[in-house]
Amino acid sequence: ERPIFRICVLFVDEMEAVARQLGRGEKAMKHNEKVDRTGKGVKQDIRPTDMDPALAAKRYKSFEDQTLDALEYLGELFIYNLINAQGSYAKVEENIIKEMEYQSSLELNPETHDIIHELPRADEIIQHARQNLVRRLDGYAKDHEAMFVSVTSELEND
């Protein structure tokens, strides 16, 4: 059975990203203090961007300047969906589930795909139809020039 890939990019605005980074830092600090107090558990790493709002904002700006361009380019190569990840984890999970259900509704069952995968794609059909149209128009212009000119003039005036 062929694999099915569904790709989503979770996106938050700068204010939310900074708030989440700082929240992660605060949570890690509390956890590490508990580890120090009790001697139980493993300390979590705390990045500078988890503690400093200016560094967190700079990190987001770097994401905007570098990663978003790469994502736009990848969007030309394969389909992915941008999901609003603002709000609670439950709301984000709900958004992800909705998007996955939507993407699933657009896909053929594997059995159906196996039956029709050899048929020409829509872009191939369109290209072939255009080639036939060009051939026919050139033939009309060559073999029936007077009538072709008359018809095109009538269409222009209509």
Side-chain angles (χ1 to χ4, degrees):
E1 191 170 309
R2 69 184 177 95
I4 296 173
F5 296 96
R6 294 188 185 98
I7 301 169
C8 295
V9 175
L10 304 180
F11 185 81
V12 295
D13 64 22
E14 180 178 358
M15 190 163 50
E16 180 74 13
V18 169
R20 287 184 184 183
Q21 286 179 74
L22 298 177
R24 180 177 51 234
E26 185 177 327
K27 185 177 175 183
M29 269 185 34
K30 288 180 181 176
H31 171 82
N32 290 349
E33 288 169 1
K34 183 179 177 184
V35 170
D36 286 341
R37 244 186 0 265
T38 64
K40 294 181 182 176
V42 177
K43 284 189 170 185
Q44 297 176 351
D45 289 335
I46 300 175
R47 296 176 282 200
T49 55
D50 292 342
M51 302 307 298
D52 183 337
L55 288 177
K58 185 177 178 184
R59 181 175 179 206
Y60 187 86
K61 181 74 172 134
S62 173
F63 162 77
E64 277 187 317
D65 292 344
Q66 298 168 12
T67 308
L68 281 181
D69 286 344
L71 283 174
E72 287 178 12
Y73 173 72
L74 289 175
E76 296 172 12
L77 303 176
F78 61 86
I79 296 171
Y80 70 86
N81 294 79
L82 211 54
I83 293 183
N84 179 358
Q86 301 280 122
S88 69
Y89 289 110
K91 182 64 178 165
V92 173
E93 182 179 31
E94 180 184 321
N95 290 345
I96 293 168
I97 290 169
K98 280 183 187 176
E99 182 59 35
M100 292 296 111
E101 288 173 349
Y102 173 73
Q103 286 186 27
S104 295
S105 73
L106 301 176
E107 293 175 351
L108 294 172
N109 288 325
E111 298 80 18
T112 308
H113 179 269
D114 289 344
I115 293 169
I116 69 167
H117 78 278
E118 293 296 324
L119 294 175
R121 295 186 326 263
D123 62 334
E124 294 169 338
I125 293 169
I126 290 168
Q127 180 180 5
H128 184 70
R130 285 183 181 166
Q131 290 168 339
N132 285 340
L133 176 62
V134 166
R135 254 192 308 279
R136 286 198 316 264
L137 291 173
D138 283 344
Y140 297 148
K142 180 181 173 198
D143 299 335
H144 308 285
E145 182 179 356
M147 184 185 295
F148 189 62
V149 168
S150 173
V151 169
T152 56
S153 294
E154 190 64 34
L155 291 172
E156 286 175 358
N157 295 329
D158 198 21

